[in-house]
Amino acid sequence: MDRDAPQEVNLTYAKYKKSMVYSLLLLLFLSAVLAIVYLMSSGNISREREMRQYAELGNMQASLLAELNIVGTDLAYYAHSELAVSTLEEKDPKAKGYLTSLMFQIGNLYKHYDQLRLLNDRGDEVIRIDQQRDNSLQLVPDEALQNKADRYYFRELAGLKPEEIYASPFDLNVEHGEVEQPLKPTIRFATPIYSKAGDFIGAGVINYKGKDLLQIIDDLNVHEGDRVYLLNHKGFYLKGEQADKEWRFMFPEREQLGFDSEYPTAWRQMQKAELGKVVTDDGEYYFSRFKLAPHSLFNIVNRESAYLVMFVPESTIQAAQQNLNNSALFAFLLVSPMFIFLAYKLAGSQIEQQRLFSKLTFDARHDALTGLYNRSAIIEYLGKSISRSRRQKAQLAVSFIDVNDLKKTNDLHGHEAGDDLLKGVASVINMSIRDGDFAARIGGDEFLIVFVDCDGSCASEIMERIQAAYGVMGLGKTGKEWSLSFGCTQLLHQTDDVDSIIERADSLMYEHKTGQKNQLLP
């Protein structure tokens, strides 16, 4: 029997199985790539958010300080002028008029000043210009001028050197001992004025409207959902998310609530650096600590530390993360079908290659008409079998077969009828020989069978059965017995080789054929 004939392969199942394996491998590869991209993108999102927040924080701080630098410049411009000295020391009315006009110009050019004042050495207001609710400026008449000798910012001037500027804490304006209503956030900048002889003769004072400073923060907070705080050095809210929590330090009778008490963990971390980020379960706090006063070009006294804080809620962070998650999922769902299709095509290609290779291999060793091995295959097998039988001291037999009347059948009935004879022989052989035996078509009408562990007698018995079955097959198909001639021999001599044993079997086949012809003679 043709034991080594390729088994029928279920190509659909094989392709499906390979497709599944390749799909799994490709999807695992895709998942690994997406995981790497996801982690890198997640880190980039965090870094970009950090860079963006620090940039926004730095922009706010720079804008606040630029605003205060203008205040310092304007104060020094009029308070350190010859007009101010002449007004205070010489009581020159013309100088006072020019100085008043100059202060008006400053107030009109820059609408952020609530008050511009000139005080004498006793704290009396000599010139005072107030900004009204409609942003117009009004010169306060002499009879309405006040004495400010008891105010802390005037007392602080006593020890200041010429051209030094005192910056007050950022608080609420107080009039006649009461916090002014509606609330008026104010920073006071004051500078002493000295005579040519070096005597203290008065001061220039600007009350800066703090709400304009806070408005800058609101205008520059461009990220929706972010909260911005401005805190004083004690952690009280100068600007918070709720108005009733702001300026609590100005009202001792109220609960002293501040950022430090509401967010103690973040506040403690903020004390350790001038710039940084604090991560909590609620979100990320970005902060910057700076001096709420004009820059170092001015000789500023009492620079108050303030904290500018930007808070990014965890919901905003998770929303960005969710967008990344959705993008990753979308990418996976988009690319996965392509990978699966690629796996299917790859598996199909490999199965087809395997099928073609198997077919080529089969065709190279098999006879196309009968499906039995061809001459080269059985010659190779017989050589190996002879060596194995001698090594194992086992028996080996060979049968040479010739199909009778093939040429006559082809001539009378056509080659298709002749092919039926050949295919019939192959079919009977396959049904009759054992699994370990080996059969081949070695020529037009010639066949060869190698019987393993079998002597000549055993081979002859099998051939008798084959001959009988072949005859019956012919009767069934054509109404006439088909016949064949055969010769059986076995491995006899040490000198036996492939050619000699085939030649001996061939000779015996001719003897058998001659005997068959003689039986047909009358």
Side-chain angles (χ1 to χ4, degrees), residues 411-422:
D411 293 341
L412 295 176
H413 304 288
H415 286 279
E416 184 175 348
D419 290 345
D420 287 342
L421 292 178
L422 298 174

Side-chain angles (χ1 to χ4, degrees), residues 162-395:
E163 298 188 358
E164 287 186 331
I165 295 176
Y166 170 81
S168 77
F170 193 4
D171 57 16
L172 300 177
N173 193 51
V174 176
E175 291 292 342
H176 306 292
E178 298 290 336
V179 174
E180 185 176 356
Q181 297 291 338
L183 302 181
K184 187 180 288 185
T186 304
I187 304 177
R188 300 158 194 85
F189 296 92
T191 185
I193 302 173
Y194 287 88
S195 68
K196 296 177 182 178
D199 299 323
F200 175 73
I201 57 175
V205 180
I206 290 181
N207 284 17
Y208 176 80
K209 291 196 301 182
K211 68 175 184 178
D212 294 340
L213 202 67
L214 301 178
Q215 186 61 47
I216 292 174
I217 297 175
D218 283 334
D219 293 342
L220 295 179
N221 180 23
V222 297
H223 297 113
E224 184 178 354
D226 289 2
R227 298 200 294 267
V228 185
Y229 307 105
L230 185 65
L231 315 174
N232 68 11
H233 66 285
K234 292 184 178 180
F236 285 106
Y237 292 107
L238 305 178
K239 174 178 176 53
E241 57 181 309
Q242 298 178 13
D244 66 333
K245 293 182 179 180
E246 299 171 345
W247 312 106
R248 288 291 184 95
F249 63 95
M250 295 295 295
F251 302 94
E253 69 279 5
R254 299 175 62 184
E255 180 185 4
Q256 296 301 287
L257 184 65
F259 184 91
D260 61 325
S261 56
E262 288 196 291
Y263 309 105
T265 301
W267 178 251
R268 284 193 298 269
Q269 293 295 319
M270 288 164 55
Q271 308 307 298
K272 300 177 182 179
E274 292 189 354
L275 180 70
K277 177 179 74 171
V278 179
V279 180
T280 68
D281 293 338
D282 298 325
E284 297 174 346
Y285 292 89
Y286 295 85
F287 68 91
S288 175
R289 183 174 66 210
F290 64 103
K291 299 295 184 180
L292 199 60
H295 57 56
S296 57
L297 290 177
F298 298 96
N299 195 357
I300 306 299
V301 177
N302 193 43
R303 292 175 180 267
E304 181 188 27
S305 291
Y307 291 85
L308 188 60
V309 183
M310 297 189 68
F311 173 66
V312 182
E314 183 65 21
S315 58
T316 300
I317 298 172
Q318 289 303 319
Q321 195 67 33
Q322 186 61 46
N323 289 336
L324 177 61
N325 295 345
N326 293 339
S327 298
L329 178 60
F330 177 77
F332 183 82
L333 295 177
L334 180 65
V335 178
S336 293
M338 292 187 287
F339 273 50
I340 293 173
F341 177 75
L342 177 63
Y344 175 80
K345 296 297 288 184
L346 179 61
S349 175
Q350 288 194 346
I351 291 297
E352 182 62 19
Q353 288 179 2
Q354 181 180 344
R355 186 188 70 80
L356 291 174
F357 180 77
S358 297
K359 184 177 184 304
L360 290 173
T361 302
F362 184 88
D363 290 346
R365 294 175 58 82
H366 291 77
D367 175 60
L369 178 64
T370 63
L372 297 180
Y373 285 101
N374 58 22
R375 182 181 183 86
S376 63
I378 200 166
I379 293 298
E380 178 186 347
Y381 180 76
L382 179 56
K384 292 180 180 178
S385 297
I386 291 173
S387 298
R388 183 170 56 250
S389 295
R390 284 180 174 150
R391 188 170 56 251
Q392 297 175 356
K393 297 181 179 181
Q395 293 179 326

Side-chain angles (χ1 to χ4, degrees), residues 378 382 398-401 438-440 442 446-450 502:
I378 200 166
L382 179 56
V398 171
S399 179
F400 197 102
I401 302 171
F438 203 86
I442 60 175
E446 296 174 341
F447 293 80
L448 190 70
I449 304 175
V450 177
I502 292 177

Side-chain angles (χ1 to χ4, degrees), residues 71-131:
V71 183
T73 300
D74 286 345
L75 177 62
Y77 183 62
Y78 83 81
H80 299 158
S81 67
E82 291 292 336
L83 291 175
V85 174
S86 297
T87 299
L88 294 174
E89 185 176 25
E90 301 171 9
K91 309 293 191 299
D92 184 349
K94 185 179 293 187
K96 181 180 179 182
Y98 285 136
L99 180 60
T100 301
S101 177
L102 176 62
M103 293 169 67
F104 261 102
Q105 291 180 22
I106 292 172
N108 280 318
L109 286 172
Y110 202 60
K111 297 294 186 178
H112 301 306
Y113 301 148
D114 186 57
Q115 291 179 352
L116 294 93
R117 289 178 288 175
L118 183 72
L119 280 60
N120 62 22
D121 59 344
R122 297 184 300 277
D124 296 322
E125 294 176 336
V126 177
I127 302 173
R128 173 175 169 178
I129 298 174
D130 289 348
Q131 187 180 92

Side-chain angles (χ1 to χ4, degrees), residues 487-499:
C488 297
T489 187
Q490 67 184 49
L491 186 63
L492 297 174
H493 313 295
Q494 284 297 115
T495 57
D496 277 345
D497 57 13
V498 171
D499 292 334

